[in-house]
Structure formats: C-alpha cells, structure tokens
Amino acid sequence: MNPNPSAPVGKPFDQDAWLAARGVTWRPDASCWSILATSPPQRLNMCSCHGALTLPEVELMECSRGREQESTAVPFVTHTVLHAARGGALRAVLDVPTSAMLDDCAPDTPIPCSVALDLRVEGDAVRFEEPAGTTPACDHPSIATNKPLPVASGWSSASWQSTRSTYRRICSSRGRYVWQRGVLRRAP
C-alpha cells in the first residue's frame, strides 16, 4: 500500500488529473498490452496507475504492469513501474518485478503460492520489502536454497525451477533505491 498517496484517503487516484497538472500525456506502451487467448483474441491493457510518491527531488507516479500467464504452472508476475514527469514527457525511472502468484496452487505445495513486496517511501528513497506481519516467502527454503524441489502432481521439475527463478527475481528487488541523476538506483 502506498504510504504517501496523492489522493485523500478513500478517494481513488486520478491519473488523468495528475498527468494534466504536470503538462504530460501518456499512452501505455507495448509492454502494457497482452493478448487474451479467447476466440476472437482480446487485447488487454495490463497497466494501471494508482498513486503518487513524493521524494525531496521528484514526484513519481506509481503504476503496475502485469504479464498474462502462459500456463497455470507459470506465476503471474506484476512489476511496479515508477514514472517521473520531465519536460512534458513521462519517463519510467524504475521498473522492478514485485509480485508473483501461482494460479493453480494447493496448500501442500512445496513452494509458496505467492511472493509479494510492498513499496514505501523512506526519506529520500523508496524501499521494497515483504509486507510486515507476514511469513517472509523470500526466506522459504524452496526459494532461498538450491535444494531439489519435489515433483508434485501436475508439476514438472522445469515448472518448479521456472517458479523458483521468478520468485528469486522478485526477492532480488528487495531493498532501498535512491534518486540519482534522473533515475532511481539501488542503494548499497
């Protein structure tokens, strides 16, 4: 949840008003679009913007971008994308994977059904971390170690490895990012 929303509590973020106030127009780029495998195929916008974050040097629009799953054994991944308005244009200044969820996941699955990171402003930086009060999925032995994963019903070893790899990419996004020379960079 965004700790510094630009909209009052209970009022949804107005992306168009935020953009207009900064003299910027924006159309989702190719990475926002997915084709839903239906007959006929449907084109879906998988991007949404839901708040603004304020750092001492810049205000950022917080958006998310999803990726349609190819199968139920591949996690649905969501990226957090932070945009800055500069010179009449909107520019992505950070794009990191921040959540993944298995569509078909049983309680006895040997790997967590999901991994998610929250975003919060921390002075002159933003931080991605697992939600407080939850069991840290990133520390789960099936993600944090290279132990072989047991093959469960309907899952292949390749599916497990793909899921573990996806979860590790998200877990590697944890940390602090500071504004430097027009982009957010990971702080040491």
Side-chain angles (χ1 to χ4, degrees), residues 85-164:
R86 293 284 187 211
L90 194 64
R91 227 182 55 169
V93 294
L94 185 68
D95 182 340
V96 293
T98 51
S99 71
M101 180 176 63
L102 290 170
D103 208 18
D104 186 18
C105 193
D108 61 343
T109 301
I111 196 163
C113 293
S114 65
V115 172
L117 302 178
D118 282 345
L119 167 65
R120 68 182 170 97
V121 173
E122 197 176 71
D124 65 345
V126 295
R127 177 176 293 279
F128 291 96
E129 61 191 5
E130 290 184 273
T134 63
T135 303
C138 289
D139 296 335
H140 191 278
S142 64
I143 297 171
T145 68
N146 287 322
K147 291 181 182 178
L149 295 168
V151 177
S153 167
W155 287 76
S156 69
S157 177
S159 295
W160 285 123
Q161 291 302 333
S162 174
T163 299
R164 178 169 29 205

Side-chain angles (χ1 to χ4, degrees), residues 2-187:
N2 179 353
N4 295 352
S6 62
V9 175
K11 185 175 181 183
F13 175 69
D14 187 340
Q15 170 185 319
D16 294 330
W18 190 90
L19 293 167
R22 286 144 192 87
V24 177
T25 57
W26 177 63
R27 284 179 294 235
D29 62 29
S31 67
C32 287
W33 298 97
S34 181
I35 303 296
L36 189 59
T38 59
S39 184
Q42 292 180 312
R43 193 167 182 240
L44 299 173
N45 180 352
M46 302 295 284
C47 292
S48 64
C49 298
H50 40 274
L53 307 171
T54 303
L55 298 178
E57 295 181 40
V58 67
E59 187 177 15
L60 305 168
M61 184 167 66
E62 179 187 356
C63 303
S64 57
R65 174 175 50 84
R67 188 189 78 212
E68 192 63 31
Q69 291 175 273
E70 297 167 13
S71 76
T72 58
V74 177
F76 182 88
V77 179
T78 302
H79 284 239
T80 295
V81 184
L82 300 177
H83 296 275
R86 293 284 187 211
L90 194 64
R91 227 182 55 169
V93 294
L94 185 68
D95 182 340
V96 293
T98 51
S99 71
M101 180 176 63
L102 290 170
D103 208 18
D104 186 18
C105 193
D108 61 343
T109 301
I111 196 163
C113 293
S114 65
V115 172
L117 302 178
D118 282 345
L119 167 65
R120 68 182 170 97
V121 173
E122 197 176 71
D124 65 345
V126 295
R127 177 176 293 279
F128 291 96
E129 61 191 5
E130 290 184 273
T134 63
T135 303
C138 289
D139 296 335
H140 191 278
S142 64
I143 297 171
T145 68
N146 287 322
K147 291 181 182 178
L149 295 168
V151 177
S153 167
W155 287 76
S156 69
S157 177
S159 295
W160 285 123
Q161 291 302 333
S162 174
T163 299
R164 178 169 29 205
S165 175
T166 298
Y167 284 0
R168 284 180 173 171
R169 276 195 323 272
I170 291 160
C171 294
S172 72
S173 297
R174 292 182 294 182
R176 192 168 179 263
Y177 297 78
V178 295
W179 184 257
Q180 292 179 340
R181 293 181 290 246
V183 295
L184 285 164
R185 299 184 192 279
R186 182 179 296 259

